[in-house]
Amino acid sequence: MAQHAYMIGTGIGNLAAGIYLIRDGGWHGDQITMYGLETHGANDGDTVTGYENEYGNQALKNSQGYLAKGGRMLNEETYENLWDLMRSVPSLDHPDQSVTDEILDFDHAHPTHDVARLMDKVNGIRNKGDENDYRHMQFDNRDRYLLTKLMLMPESKEERLNDIGIDEWFASSPHFFTTNFWYMWQTTFAFKRQSSAMELRRYMNRMILEFSRINTLEGVTRTPYNQYESLILPMRKFLEDHGVTFINNRKVTALTFKDTPMRDDIIVTGFDYEEVNGDHQTGHVDVNEDDFVFDTNGSITDSSSFGDMDTPLKENHEYAPSAALWKQASEHFYDLGHPDKFFNDREQSEWMSFTVTNNDHKLLNEITRITQQQPGNALNTWIDSTGLMSIVVHHQPHFHAQKENETVFWGYIMYPRRHGDYVNKPFIEMTGREILTELIGHLNEVDDGRDKIGDHIDDIMASTVNVIPVYMPYASALFNRRAVGDRPLVVPKHSHNLAFISQFAEMPFDMVFTEQYSFRCAQRAVYTFLGIPLSKLTPLHHYEKDPKVMARATKTMFR
């Protein structure tokens, strides 16, 4: 009997693992079955109706417009695994072209150049050429010393950062958190002050190429449409065309293991499941010892809550389903990490997003006028906003179904339990209309035109089809303070057939909160199980060892 692979979760990591099995392992698609709670995952983007139908979500019932819980900024230089694998996947819009070529061609034709990255009440856009110009990092010597010391710490000494937050590392230099660098870095990558210093160290090394251009985000690579349509759907189509079986709306609730003499040998013999739609029917699937199980042991969009234009969201207090399965496995074996470090402290990990759909271009044109940049030029952050609000206005259209008269953009709030500046209630309790009121208030602050955006709030509200707030309790969970060993290895020691593919598996050097990390997890797991030498893993760039890159970074430190 042929071997079989069972993929628990249909996020981008397991989709990549399926493609690696077929491309590099010579497997047939009928040897692979994928089980998903839903089809969107963290790389999402759809009409509201698409989400309502899939989730059966009452909060979205009768809503209109589009929804993207978030967006992912790719990078041409440091997403080596993604570009390599997606060269094997045909584009849906241009079947004679690979997804990699389609994305890079689009990005090269629409390069990012942010000219309104930071805004404040006093200066408006912080690019006026004075000491607040965000071209300046604004470090003092203590900041430089601590950041350099963190970056130069050898990987072998990472345990020195066990459970250390960024705020603790810079405790002797609180000035660091007032710099342009910190405002830009935290809102580009979704760090918080209490996030892991260990992860900041990894980012500084892996993304050092971006350090000298963080103010313009010129290193950001954009997809032609949202990531669901530009990445996920082509991957699913590739796998379906090769005969892979997808089973949606099924939650795996427990893994069963073989009782071995050594007790620490990990051999999955089956798993229990529950249908999440309909009558919640339960069942069990047997797994042979020579089959493989690839588990998504944590998702940053689990347990999300949705609102709409005039309805606030209702917080979902459910422990992340993907992490619950990881926790069940970790109770059987001692070296599978500690999921509670990432999924039991919402203060560290929570934030909100909101997607705005308009039936005309008035609001988009006003944002373009105020920020002085065209759609597609990355993001804008209001550093004085209590919730730390940012918006991302994509190249239009952002959805295939988007009509010519429609515009869609999204934003996010890093601190959802803080009160708004223009609506006196916590963001997590606001309707979409109230969040849009907050945004217009902040836009009005920096609007130096005679005809200000605040004068048109009624017209803008009338043209707004919907604003969908989404609360994500685990959005930054991958940055939670952690220690070495809190994340399981991609293929744990003594594991015969269980691998973890997610942002919560442990690999050297690479950085979480990136598709690159998920793709590399997938490659490492597949190559390990198939006996392909790990020396054949896709080569990674080490820009932190490039003298020219480091010279530019050093110069930027003093800019």
Side-chain angles (χ1 to χ4, degrees):
M1 179 181 289
Q3 285 180 288
H4 205 87
Y6 299 91
M7 309 292 190
I8 302 172
T10 53
I12 202 167
N14 271 347
L15 297 179
I19 298 173
Y20 278 120
L21 283 170
I22 293 169
R23 191 194 74 169
D24 299 349
W27 278 40
H28 298 289
D30 59 9
Q31 295 176 260
I32 303 169
T33 303
M34 299 210 170
Y35 298 87
L37 275 171
E38 34 84 8
T39 66
H40 292 84
N43 292 79
D44 68 330
D46 204 347
T47 63
V48 172
T49 303
Y51 284 92
E52 179 196 335
N53 291 343
E54 185 159 62
Y55 296 137
N57 197 304
Q58 292 301 306
L60 300 178
K61 195 170 182 63
N62 300 321
S63 286
Q64 303 177 63
Y66 300 87
L67 170 59
K69 293 192 286 285
R72 305 290 174 261
M73 293 183 291
L74 310 183
N75 182 268
E76 184 171 350
E77 292 89 351
T78 58
Y79 281 44
E80 298 92 340
N81 282 81
L82 183 147
W83 303 126
D84 172 68
L85 192 66
M86 297 308 284
R87 283 192 175 90
S88 304
V89 179
S91 158
L92 296 184
D93 292 331
H94 308 97
D96 59 337
Q97 190 177 37
S98 73
V99 170
T100 291
D101 290 337
E102 177 186 54
I103 292 174
L104 294 181
D105 285 353
F106 173 83
D107 182 68
H108 295 164
H110 304 87
T112 300
H113 187 81
D114 199 322
V115 298
R117 180 63 187 86
L118 298 181
M119 289 179 278
D120 65 36
K121 293 178 181 178
V122 176
N123 299 283
I125 301 173
R126 281 193 160 196
N127 64 355
K128 305 300 184 183
D130 60 15
E131 69 274 7
N132 289 312
D133 189 324
Y134 59 75
R135 183 178 177 277
H136 304 304
M137 297 297 101
Q138 296 185 320
F139 293 130
D140 62 20
N141 284 337
R142 184 66 181 170
D143 298 332
R144 295 184 186 103
Y145 166 73
L146 291 172
L147 192 59
T148 302
K149 180 181 178 182
L150 180 67
M151 182 180 170
L152 295 181
M153 182 179 293
E155 189 168 13
S156 61
K157 304 296 184 182
E158 245 189 355
E159 71 275 3
R160 294 179 180 178
L161 300 172
N162 281 354
D163 296 316
I164 299 295
I166 299 171
D167 52 355
E168 296 174 79
W169 183 260
F170 288 96
S172 64
S173 187
H175 172 267
F176 176 80
F177 297 106
T178 68
T179 61
N180 283 332
F181 167 81
W182 176 246
Y183 285 128
M184 290 186 286
W185 196 267
Q186 69 169 325
T187 53
T188 299
F189 300 115
F191 280 95
K192 295 186 177 184
R193 291 189 183 197
Q194 64 265 49
S195 296
S196 169
M198 195 180 292
E199 291 303 328
L200 178 59
R201 175 199 162 276
R202 288 196 177 199
Y203 262 71
M204 286 301 301
N205 278 280
R206 189 74 162 99
M207 296 294 282
I208 192 62
L209 188 66
E210 301 311 311
F211 179 65
S212 60
R213 56 192 188 191
I214 187 69
N215 56 308
T216 61
L217 294 176
E218 291 175 43
V220 170
T221 302
R222 296 289 190 186
T223 54
Y225 295 93
N226 60 82
Q227 283 83 14
Y228 179 66
E229 294 181 325
S230 292
L231 287 171
I232 299 298
L233 288 183
M235 295 175 79
R236 289 179 69 97
K237 179 68 162 52
F238 176 94
L239 293 167
E240 288 166 354
D241 287 350
H242 280 78
V244 172
T245 299
F246 283 86
I247 300 176
N248 299 319
N249 302 311
R250 180 172 288 184
K251 177 169 68 173
V252 176
T253 56
L255 299 170
T256 55
F257 300 94
K258 183 177 180 179
D259 188 7
T260 64
M262 294 298 294
R263 301 295 183 188
D264 57 357
D265 284 340
I266 302 173
I267 303 174
V268 178
T269 59
F271 52 85
D272 300 329
Y273 67 82
E274 175 188 353
E275 305 290 354
V276 296
N277 282 349
D279 59 2
H280 294 274
Q281 182 180 350
T282 59
H284 180 85
V285 174
D286 290 322
V287 174
N288 294 324
E289 290 187 26
D290 62 348
D291 292 337
F292 303 132
V293 176
F294 297 83
D295 177 36
T296 305
N297 64 311
S299 171
I300 62 174
T301 54
D302 270 1
S303 307
S304 297
S305 308
F306 305 87
D308 65 15
M309 189 71 173
D310 293 302
T311 310
L313 59 85
K314 183 177 181 180
E315 183 178 350
N316 181 353
H317 292 279
E318 178 186 23
Y319 192 88
S322 55
L325 184 64
W326 170 21
K327 190 170 185 176
Q328 182 262 341
S330 71
E331 291 167 352
H332 287 265
F333 302 97
Y334 67 89
D335 59 350
L336 297 189
H338 302 98
D340 281 354
K341 293 288 284 286
F342 307 96
F343 294 94
N344 208 29
D345 184 355
R346 293 189 171 196
E347 182 184 358
Q348 281 194 72
S349 60
E350 65 184 1
W351 45 278
M352 284 178 65
S353 71
F354 57 94
T355 310
V356 181
T357 304
N358 292 91
N359 62 16
D360 65 18
H361 304 303
K362 184 168 188 59
L363 178 56
L364 180 72
N365 289 336
E366 289 291 298
I367 292 173
T368 298
R369 176 180 63 81
I370 294 167
T371 62
Q372 302 173 26
Q373 61 187 26
Q374 293 297 311
N377 280 293
L379 69 148
N380 317 108
T381 296
W382 283 266
I383 65 172
D384 296 323
S385 58
T386 56
L388 200 56
M389 176 182 279
S390 300
I391 60 171
V392 180
V393 182
H394 301 280
H395 183 273
Q396 302 291 303
H398 194 49
F399 295 82
H400 280 84
Q402 197 173 324
K403 300 179 180 67
E404 285 186 2
N405 61 296
E406 294 177 325
T407 58
V408 181
F409 66 93
W410 73 282
Y412 52 100
I413 297 136
M414 291 290 293
Y415 299 96
R417 299 191 191 273
R418 294 180 181 175
H419 280 236
D421 297 287
Y422 298 93
V423 178
N424 189 26
K425 63 171 65 172
F427 283 95
I428 197 171
E429 297 177 10
M430 289 187 193
T431 65
R433 188 180 303 276
E434 290 168 333
I435 290 175
L436 185 55
T437 300
E438 276 285 315
L439 173 59
I440 292 173
H442 287 294
L443 284 164
N444 201 55
E445 283 178 357
V446 299
D447 186 355
D448 56 5
R450 293 182 180 179
D451 186 21
K452 302 191 74 169
I453 188 173
D455 299 330
H456 303 283
I457 189 168
D458 291 339
D459 290 340
I460 290 171
M461 288 293 179
S463 70
T464 301
V465 174
N466 213 340
V467 180
I468 305 291
V470 182
Y471 168 71
M472 294 173 285
Y474 310 119
S476 289
L478 31 65
F479 289 153
N480 280 18
R481 293 185 300 272
R482 66 174 179 86
V484 172
D486 284 338
R487 301 190 305 212
L489 297 176
V490 174
V491 179
K493 295 178 181 178
H494 311 295
S495 174
H496 294 254
N497 67 348
L498 175 64
F500 294 113
I501 298 179
S502 80
Q503 307 289 297
F504 300 92
E506 176 60 33
M507 291 189 301
F509 181 62
D510 228 332
M511 54 188 180
V512 293
F513 218 152
T514 64
E515 287 87 345
Q516 163 62 22
Y517 200 87
S518 296
F519 274 67
R520 194 160 188 84
C521 275
Q523 188 183 34
R524 177 175 284 269
V526 168
Y527 280 29
T528 300
F529 281 153
L530 299 187
I532 301 173
L534 295 183
S535 60
K536 295 186 179 298
L537 290 172
T538 302
L540 300 181
H541 293 92
H542 281 268
Y543 291 106
E544 82 284 4
K545 298 178 181 179
D546 185 319
K548 291 182 179 179
V549 172
M550 294 308 297
R552 286 198 299 270
T554 302
K555 185 177 180 180
T556 301
M557 277 266 197
F558 291 86
R559 198 167 68 194

